[in-house]
């Protein structure tokens, strides 16, 4: 699969059109650049040292390239390089950010909100917990033990105490454990993860909301990876119930640079109650001059921010609206279908150990060691085989990921538990094309598994 070059002509035409808006200015020569072409050729060579994130045979980490319209709109905006800190630095792009963010808020049923773009999920969660911490000073933050690792670190940065809540065998926060923890009366904020990073598990939001009624905490939803799945039409009933209540959270984080088809550097934080904007109040003696309207810097922790990221997001949502049943929503459903299809094939094949049915588009599995005489296979052998399968698949151009997860997530049958965690294969099937490529993916996986089978036999000889 080659890289898209056809759309460069569209970019040229758009640059000319944008340039006409500044035609009244006297000509200013570009500074002569000695050898842009040579350096770019060098860059192209250097960039070949990468996994092929753009290709459907990359089925590893949570990575894929942005949509063409996002790339082009970003490149177009970069010729101006607006800064969305202030309207003075990016008038059009700030307005586009407000519109694009409002569309995301509407996807969760919020007609009013406070929100903006940030550099990514970590910064977005930091802002949400920073607000939560100010509203409940001295109280603790809870998130599940499968929540993104940055929640405990962010809490440390904010000097908020953090505790991890145990998960059930499907990687979701255990409401019983949460209730026991809440009974101590020292919790200010609970983070519900809508799609964990490792397994795509969705925390049981309806149960957590019931506990909020009883215990009165602030609820933050980390939907950095999973948020857009609210548009999918093929979630399991439990998952659907959780997504349908996402709008009841106090704050939501969602990353357009994960499932929203954007280049990196695009996260989003949303607050249900716009009045939390007061907590951001600050003076900036050098900005905010040309307009009395809201400057996005007045409601964000970061100062300079790329206007181009907002332009790219706006253009993408213009082309692919965030509507149920529409093309973008269908692409998310396809990702989940791909994950379910891979899971079913793995489950039906005795060579593999599987975990629970994927809730979103992440599948985890491990090779099952061949039984050698009366001695039972062990978890540590599964982990070793996973590492070998990862390498054998990569040799055949299929790129998977590895994850170290609680062994109890897996249907272990007769495998002996000589370790609490298992290193497994992990695939985020986040390209809708993965569905059509499943036969190819499976065929390579099959060959790679046969290869480690023979290696095991050899090692045992
Ligand atoms: C659930 C979740 N939250 C937060 C993050 C952190 O986001 P970022 O890498 O954009 O900072 C991730 C990243 O994968 C994530 O999956």
């Amino acid at each position: 699969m080659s890289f898209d070059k056809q759309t460069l002509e569209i970019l040229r035409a758009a640059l000319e059109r944008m340039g006409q808006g500044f035609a009244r200015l006297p000509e200013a020569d570009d500074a002569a650049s000695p050898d842009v072409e040579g350096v770019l050729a060098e860059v192209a060579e250097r960039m070949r040292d990468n996994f092929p994130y753009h290709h459907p045979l990359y089925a590893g980490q949570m990575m894929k390239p942005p949509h063409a319209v996002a790339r082009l709109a970003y490149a177009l905006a970069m010729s101006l390089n607006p800064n969305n800190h202030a309207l003075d630095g990016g008038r059009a792009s700030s307005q586009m950010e407000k519109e694009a963010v409002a569309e995301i808020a509407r996807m969760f049923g919020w007609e009013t909100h406070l929100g903006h773009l940030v550099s990514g999920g970590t910064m977005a969660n930091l802002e949400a917990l920073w607000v939560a911490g100010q509203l409940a000073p001295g109280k603790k933050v809870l998130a599940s033990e499968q929540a993104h690792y940055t929640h405990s670190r962010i809490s440390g940065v904010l000097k908020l105490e953090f505790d991890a809540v145990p998960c059930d065998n499907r990687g979701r926060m255990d409401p019983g454990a949460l209730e026991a923890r809440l009974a101590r009366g020292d919790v200010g904020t609970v983070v519900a993860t809508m799609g964990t990073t490792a397994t795509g598990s969705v925390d049981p939001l309806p149960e957590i909301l019931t506990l909020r009624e009883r215990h009165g905490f602030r609820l933050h939803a980390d939907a950095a990876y999973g948020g857009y799945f609210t548009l999918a039409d093929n979630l399991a009933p439990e998952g659907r119930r959780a997504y349908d209540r996402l709008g009841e959270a106090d704050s939501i984080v969602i990353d357009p640079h994960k499932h929203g088809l954007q280049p990196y550097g695009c996260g989003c934080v949303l607050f249900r109650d716009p009045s939390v904007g007061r907590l951001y109040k600050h003076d900036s003696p050098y900005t905010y001059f040309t307009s009395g309207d809201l400057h996005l810097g007045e409601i964000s922790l970061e100062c300079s921010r790329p206007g181009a990221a907002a332009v790219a997001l706006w253009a993408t949502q213009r082309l692919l609206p965030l509507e149920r049943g529409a093309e973008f929503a269908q692409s998310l459903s396809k990702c989940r279908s791909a994950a379910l299809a891979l899971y079913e094939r793995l489950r039906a094949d005795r060579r593999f150990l599987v975990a629970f049915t994927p809730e979103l588009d992440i599948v985890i599995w491990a090779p099952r060691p061949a039984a050698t005489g009366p001695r039972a296979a062990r978890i540590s052998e599964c982990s070793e085989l996973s590492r070998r399968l990862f390498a054998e698949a990569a040799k055949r151009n299929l790129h998977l990921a590895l994850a170290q997860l609680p062994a109890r997530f897996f249907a272990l049958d007769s495998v002996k538990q000589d370790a609490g965690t298992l290193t497994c294969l992990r695939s985020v099937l986040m390209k809708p094309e993965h569905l059509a490529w499943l036969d190819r993916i499976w065929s390579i996986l099959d060959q790679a598994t046969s290869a480690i089978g023979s290696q095991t036999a050899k090692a045992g000889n």
Side-chain angles (χ1 to χ4, degrees), residues 136-447:
K139 297 249 177 166
K140 291 193 173 150
V141 176
L142 302 184
S144 90
E145 58 191 12
Q146 284 294 312
H148 196 263
Y149 75 94
T150 47
H151 286 288
S152 71
R153 199 158 69 176
I154 289 166
S155 300
V157 170
L158 296 170
K159 306 252 180 297
L160 298 168
E161 273 190 65
F162 175 89
D163 264 353
V165 180
C167 284
D168 65 13
N169 287 348
R170 291 169 56 186
R172 305 168 306 180
M173 183 185 279
D174 175 350
L178 174 62
E179 184 159 28
R181 188 62 198 74
L182 290 168
R184 296 187 205 163
D186 59 354
V187 175
T189 307
V190 174
V191 179
T193 305
M194 303 301 286
T196 58
T197 315
T199 62
S201 302
V202 178
D203 281 347
L205 208 56
E207 286 82 350
I208 296 172
L209 285 164
T210 303
L211 289 171
R212 184 174 70 173
E213 277 166 32
R214 256 182 260 152
H215 296 271
F217 48 82
R218 191 172 168 83
L219 179 60
H220 170 59
D222 180 358
Y225 145 66
Y228 288 103
F229 277 95
T230 192
L231 297 175
D233 62 6
N234 59 351
L235 298 179
E238 244 177 331
R240 183 73 268 160
R241 272 197 296 279
Y243 275 97
D244 285 347
R245 301 200 56 191
L246 188 47
E248 292 174 56
D250 297 293
S251 51
I252 302 175
V253 156
I254 178 166
D255 269 356
H257 72 196
K258 292 190 170 62
H259 257 298
L261 307 170
Q262 298 309 296
Y264 282 117
C266 192
C268 177
V269 61
L270 298 165
F271 299 96
R272 184 154 54 100
D273 174 6
S275 78
V276 298
R278 71 188 183 280
L279 303 169
Y280 282 89
K281 198 152 180 51
H282 63 280
D283 278 333
S284 173
Y286 7 79
T287 48
Y288 314 149
F289 293 122
T290 54
S291 171
D293 290 350
L294 178 75
H295 301 259
L296 288 163
E298 293 179 273
I299 56 154
S300 65
L301 284 185
E302 290 171 290
C303 179
S304 293
R305 286 192 302 104
V311 172
L313 182 64
W314 185 92
T316 309
Q317 291 177 190
R318 183 91 173 149
L319 188 72
L320 300 167
L322 305 176
E323 287 163 10
R324 287 206 190 170
E327 187 179 337
F328 177 67
Q330 283 171 19
S331 73
L332 287 151
S333 304
K334 273 194 194 162
C335 294
R336 178 158 197 268
S337 295
L340 287 176
L342 176 59
Y343 170 76
E344 285 308 332
R345 289 192 190 202
L346 291 162
R347 196 164 71 104
D349 191 324
R350 281 291 298 164
R351 293 176 298 172
F352 301 110
L353 291 169
V354 289
F356 38 86
T357 312
E359 286 202 72
L360 302 179
D361 60 6
I362 301 180
V363 190
I364 54 167
W365 77 98
R368 184 195 299 272
T372 42
R375 190 179 66 75
R378 285 166 295 156
I379 286 178
S380 50
E381 289 173 292
C382 301
S383 297
E384 177 52 25
L385 286 176
S386 294
R387 286 188 276 270
R388 278 163 49 189
L389 182 52
F390 172 80
E392 286 297 329
K395 276 191 215 162
R396 293 163 177 79
N397 283 324
L398 174 63
H399 298 280
L400 308 168
L402 288 167
Q404 196 180 357
L405 293 171
R408 65 188 171 86
F409 286 3
F410 294 84
L412 288 172
D413 307 343
S414 53
V415 176
K416 191 163 168 245
Q417 297 221 20
D418 66 338
T421 59
L422 189 162
T423 301
C424 64
L425 278 318
R426 168 174 167 266
S427 271
V428 186
L429 297 178
M430 68 186 310
K431 300 184 192 100
E433 309 90 73
H434 277 138
L435 187 56
W437 277 71
L438 209 67
D439 284 341
R440 296 277 288 273
I441 290 173
W442 184 257
S443 142
I444 299 177
L445 197 56
D446 182 50
Q447 291 162 26

